[in-house]
Amino acid sequence: MAKYIVKRMAIGMVTLLIVSTVTFFLMFLVPGGPFLAEKAPSAATLKALEEKYGLDKPVPVQYKNYMLRLLKGDLGTSLKQRGREVNDIIFTRLPVSARVGGWAILVAVVLGVTLGSVAALNRGKAIDNVIVFLSTCGIAVPGFVVCTVLMYFLGAKLNILPTFGLTSYKHYIMPVIALSFYPMSYISRLMRSCMLDVLGQDYMRTAKAKGVSQWAALFKHALRNAILPVVTYLGPLLAYTLTGSFIVEKIFTIPGLGDSFISSITGRDYPLIMGTTIFLAFLVITMNVVVDIVYKLVDPRIKLG
Amino acid sequence: MSEYLVDIQNLRLSFFTPAGEVKALNDVSIQMKQGDVLGIVGESGSGKSVTAYSLMGLVPEPGRILSGSIIFNGHRIHEMSEKELRQIRGNEISIIFQDPMTSLNPVFTIGNQIEEVILLHTDKNRKEARERAEELLSLVGINEPKKRLRQYPHELSGGMRQRVMIAIALACEPKLLIADEPTTALDVTIQAQILELMNELKEKIGMSIIMITHDLGVVASMCEKIAVMYAGKIVEYGTAEEIFYNPQHEYTKGLLLSIPKLTATEHEKLIPIEGTPVDMLMPPQGCPFAPRCQNTMKICLKEMPPYTDINEDHYSACWLLQKQAYMTMKDGVAR
């Protein structure tokens, strides 16, 4: 097990290197620069700024400098939010996104697994059709529509929930719903089809023949077999949801990481682009390793390595 | 309480599928005494498994019992609730399924799956259940039972898994064991081992067994009584001796002819039963076997033959055995 984790982490490092290299060069291929604004600074100021941040050097040299600093864990300083370290930005904004995202994942998993199982158990009945319809909507309707519809009804019309900020539990409700709607729908669809598959398996018949009650058979024998694909999906989901969604954070004005990720690109804030990308890549890789280990715990047939 | 352990009377059971009503069981009656070993023989779809499953109240959807009664050990199975049936399943009646590769849950250890049934039906605690599970594994001839208990199904061979299934089935010392083609999915040497084990256990525990199979060889080596089923009906019932040496129904005769013989000469061909099994959605009006029978008479196509007693425990449903049928023979053979 330990050997496997070390091996996976080593492969992960190589992946990180590739991700950072590709991002670095692509970033400079995009026209524009960090200091262009409506009121463009004078040529002399621009030159001084570029010199200060080392942007006047050729890209390969900049790459070398960046990678050397990266090895020390230094992600550089932001070009837009003057004087703020990228590390600092990530670690003040991540907890905000992670808190909203964490709740969203919890809601998505609990509701998704429950709805999917309920649908499978009532296959073809009215409740199944309702769940399938809802989850299809959840996958088809884009996030910004969900956000605005929620905002319009719960915020503007009924005026029961605040539409921006993140200062009380009430502020969490709409962003969490908006953020969890898609994964919840996806998980419930996944769960439904896996559950149907598992319910038809011979070992479920064996359980019944042993005198196991329907609920015990469902919770003990079926759930653990049916939940495997959900576990797989959970890896990337965790990474992407914990780092926040640009759309949800923009619409509900949440000062999270997802927002600064996209703003960094539009603002050509090179160090922040690199920092957030590498951080996200790191998270995806880590979560996938975690998922593999969880997978092994759930299904003993799986061999790691 | 009746003298029979199993008493199925005039059972009619249909599957209401989208395509229409499939009459899976058509007036099936079976009696078994404590300790009897009954073989139910028939081709796929003849209703042999459904008969056995109905004894456990395990009729798969969309099956419905239309009429008749199922009495097991004094319990009126056909009138019992799901909750009451659960007390009996795995406890008084157990079952071994055809495919041991898929019948065990892949994510739980062997020990867990044996203990589950013990914990459900007895008041043993976990430790005692584990001891019993170990004992059971030794009983079914698995070596190193302590180690096996901690293993998962995928770490065991097919024969071993079937032994585990037998251990689960025997855990609560059932009065009746249903074996639904227990050796079909296993290779021949393992088949022989499993049959030998079942014979041994039958002696040791003294339970009744219903052996469902389409392999007459399996039946011959285990069963005292044989019921031959065709299209949801028992067409012939008798002791193993009677069935093998004095078959009365044309279908039974055909089945026996289709078994390869060791004494056959090199170029002797097997004799198959011509035709195809009946379409259960539209069963023929008369005897279901009539379309494939070599000796069909007019009456066979019109009316279901009644049972004729050959001797004390041998009967068969065939018009050829009925005196009144011979009366109509004047009309000649139908084809």
Side-chain angles (χ1 to χ4, degrees):
Chain A
M1 184 76 106
K3 201 177 147 200
Y4 173 77
I5 297 173
V6 170
K7 194 176 132 203
R8 278 296 298 266
M9 276 309 181
I11 298 172
M13 293 311 284
V14 177
T15 315
L16 270 185
L17 180 72
I18 297 171
V19 167
S20 48
T21 309
V22 171
T23 314
F24 195 88
F25 287 102
L26 278 179
M27 195 165 73
F28 282 100
L29 286 177
V30 184
F35 309 118
L36 290 176
E38 252 174 78
K39 230 177 107 192
S42 68
T45 325
L46 203 60
K47 195 160 178 290
L49 274 170
E50 284 187 343
E51 214 166 298
K52 184 185 171 202
Y53 290 106
L55 293 171
D56 54 339
K57 296 189 186 74
V59 176
V61 176
Q62 287 189 44
Y63 173 70
K64 189 197 81 189
N65 290 343
Y66 184 80
M67 292 315 265
L68 284 175
R69 265 188 286 131
L70 184 62
L71 280 180
K72 288 180 233 150
D74 180 10
L75 292 173
T77 37
S78 168
L79 301 182
K80 296 295 243 191
Q81 303 168 46
R82 299 287 154 79
R84 273 193 82 185
E85 297 250 334
V86 171
N87 274 331
D88 178 44
I89 296 176
I90 290 178
F91 288 103
T92 47
R93 289 193 159 228
L94 179 70
V96 179
S97 291
R99 226 174 295 140
V100 181
W103 281 110
I105 288 171
L106 193 70
V107 169
V109 170
V110 171
L111 277 183
V113 168
T114 314
L115 289 178
S117 306
V118 168
L121 287 174
N122 296 287
R123 185 187 193 172
K125 292 184 192 155
I127 179 107
D128 179 27
N129 293 334
V130 171
I131 292 171
V132 169
F133 176 77
L134 269 180
S135 55
T136 310
C137 286
I139 286 178
V141 178
F144 62 88
V145 176
V146 178
C147 288
T148 30
V149 166
L150 283 173
M151 237 174 172
Y152 179 73
F153 285 106
L154 299 179
K157 279 277 171 190
L158 298 173
N159 202 17
I160 45 172
L161 290 174
T163 55
F164 61 88
L166 207 57
T167 41
S168 75
Y169 78 93
K170 274 187 169 180
H171 288 84
Y172 278 89
I173 296 174
M174 279 201 283
V176 166
I177 295 176
L179 212 51
S180 61
F181 200 42
Y182 179 86
M184 180 202 81
S185 305
Y186 192 88
I187 290 173
S188 84
R189 288 172 70 89
L190 206 59
M191 198 63 202
R192 181 180 178 272
S193 65
C194 295
M195 198 50 133
L196 281 177
D197 181 46
V198 167
L199 290 176
Q201 292 289 326
D202 286 347
Y203 52 78
M204 293 306 292
R205 189 178 57 179
T206 305
K208 208 172 174 195
K210 278 160 130 182
V212 178
S213 73
Q214 204 197 347
W215 284 109
L218 188 71
F219 279 106
K220 187 183 164 185
H221 292 275
L223 204 58
R224 196 155 151 194
N225 279 289
I227 212 157
L228 277 171
V230 176
V231 173
T232 318
Y233 173 59
L234 222 51
L237 176 75
L238 273 166
Y240 288 120
T241 313
L242 291 180
T243 49
S245 145
F246 171 69
I247 292 163
V248 172
E249 288 179 3
K250 256 293 186 260
I251 293 179
F252 293 105
T253 1
I254 298 165
L257 195 60
D259 179 22
S260 59
F261 189 32
I262 303 294
S263 323
S264 72
I265 298 172
T266 51
R268 308 284 186 275
D269 192 347
Y270 298 132
L272 194 54
I273 296 178
M274 286 305 290
T276 43
T277 308
I278 290 170
F279 182 72
L280 182 61
F282 172 76
L283 217 54
V284 171
I285 291 165
T286 316
M287 287 305 170
N288 275 325
V289 177
V290 171
V291 162
D292 278 354
I293 293 162
V294 172
Y295 221 99
K296 167 81 185 163
L297 296 178
V298 178
D299 189 345
R301 281 170 300 179
I302 286 157
K303 279 203 178 71
L304 296 180
Chain B
M1 206 170 133
S2 79
E3 57 175 319
Y4 294 112
L5 177 71
V6 172
D7 190 358
I8 300 179
Q9 288 292 348
N10 306 97
L11 186 65
R12 280 178 198 279
L13 191 152
S14 284
F15 289 100
F16 293 91
T17 67
E21 182 186 348
V22 175
K23 290 180 177 160
L25 295 183
N26 208 340
D27 206 8
V28 167
S29 300
I30 287 176
Q31 276 102 29
M32 280 175 78
K33 287 187 183 136
Q34 176 72 47
D36 276 358
V37 179
L38 170 74
I40 304 181
V41 189
E43 54 195 28
S44 310
S46 59
K48 51 192 192 315
S49 296
V50 178
T51 308
Y53 288 8
S54 68
L55 254 174
M56 298 182 85
L58 275 181
V59 182
E61 284 294 316
R64 296 273 173 283
I65 291 174
L66 301 178
S67 63
S69 61
I70 307 164
I71 297 170
F72 167 79
N73 197 25
H75 303 292
R76 301 177 68 80
I77 300 287
H78 58 291
E79 289 166 358
M80 283 167 82
S81 70
E82 191 62 26
K83 204 177 160 196
E84 292 168 317
L85 284 169
R86 281 211 302 270
Q87 310 291 320
I88 296 178
R89 287 181 197 145
N91 188 11
E92 289 177 52
I93 313 183
S94 329
I95 187 161
I96 322 169
F97 293 106
Q98 178 173 351
D99 194 351
M101 306 309 273
T102 55
S103 292
L104 290 165
N105 195 327
V107 300
F108 294 103
T109 58
I110 301 299
N112 183 314
Q113 297 187 60
I114 302 177
E115 285 154 30
E116 182 179 37
V117 71
I118 300 169
L119 293 171
L120 263 173
H121 297 295
T122 63
D123 29 88
K124 288 192 167 74
N125 62 30
R126 282 195 172 273
K127 198 170 154 268
E128 291 164 340
R130 177 134 290 225
E131 280 160 12
R132 170 82 179 135
E134 206 182 311
E135 198 181 300
L136 283 161
L137 284 187
S138 313
L139 183 73
V140 296
I142 288 181
N143 53 7
E144 301 179 83
K146 264 208 168 67
K147 183 181 148 203
R148 301 292 175 206
L149 284 175
R150 286 191 305 269
Q151 285 185 315
Y152 289 93
H154 70 276
E155 297 171 272
L156 270 56
S157 68
M160 287 256 251
R161 289 191 216 181
Q162 196 61 301
R163 284 172 195 265
V164 171
M165 284 301 292
I166 295 174
I168 290 174
L170 298 182
C172 300
E173 297 182 343
K175 288 205 162 55
L176 174 68
L177 175 70
I178 298 170
D180 187 3
E181 309 202 20
T183 55
T184 308
L186 303 171
D187 64 57
V188 185
T189 44
I190 310 295
Q191 269 186 26
Q193 288 174 16
I194 295 288
L195 288 177
E196 195 182 318
L197 171 69
M198 289 184 66
N199 258 328
E200 218 174 87
L201 293 172
K202 176 184 79 184
E203 303 293 321
K204 229 184 250 176
I205 300 172
M207 64 194 164
S208 305
I209 298 178
I210 294 181
M211 189 76 152
I212 303 167
T213 179
H214 51 246
D215 186 342
L216 284 165
V218 169
V219 175
S221 67
M222 282 211 61
C223 307
E224 296 140 16
K225 304 275 172 59
I226 296 173
V228 180
M229 288 192 78
Y230 188 81
K233 199 172 158 68
I234 294 177
V235 293
E236 185 161 6
Y237 175 91
T239 59
E241 264 212 19
E242 284 281 317
I243 296 288
F244 278 97
Y245 298 109
N246 184 24
Q248 294 297 321
H249 197 276
E250 293 300 304
Y251 178 63
T252 316
K253 290 179 192 169
L255 276 183
L256 291 167
L257 281 175
S258 64
I259 310 174
K261 292 178 194 70
L262 279 174
T263 54
T265 55
E266 199 181 332
H267 298 291
E268 207 175 308
K269 283 186 179 151
L270 291 176
I271 306 164
I273 301 174
E274 299 290 339
T276 50
V278 260
D279 178 3
M280 298 293 274
L281 279 168
M282 280 183 294
Q285 197 187 355
C287 171
F289 190 61
R292 301 172 76 182
C293 184
Q294 300 289 329
N295 301 309
T296 318
M297 302 178 291
K298 269 189 180 165
I299 191 160
C300 301
L301 297 170
K302 281 184 209 137
E303 265 179 74
M304 196 73 107
Y307 286 115
T308 312
D309 286 320
I310 314 297
N311 60 39
E312 203 184 319
D313 31 44
H314 185 182
Y315 58 81
S316 174
C318 179
W319 280 116
L320 289 168
L321 306 170
Q322 287 280 321
K323 285 215 177 68
Q324 69 189 81
Y326 283 108
M327 304 298 282
T328 58
M329 274 279 270
K330 280 186 295 232
D331 304 339
V333 174
R335 55 166 121 174

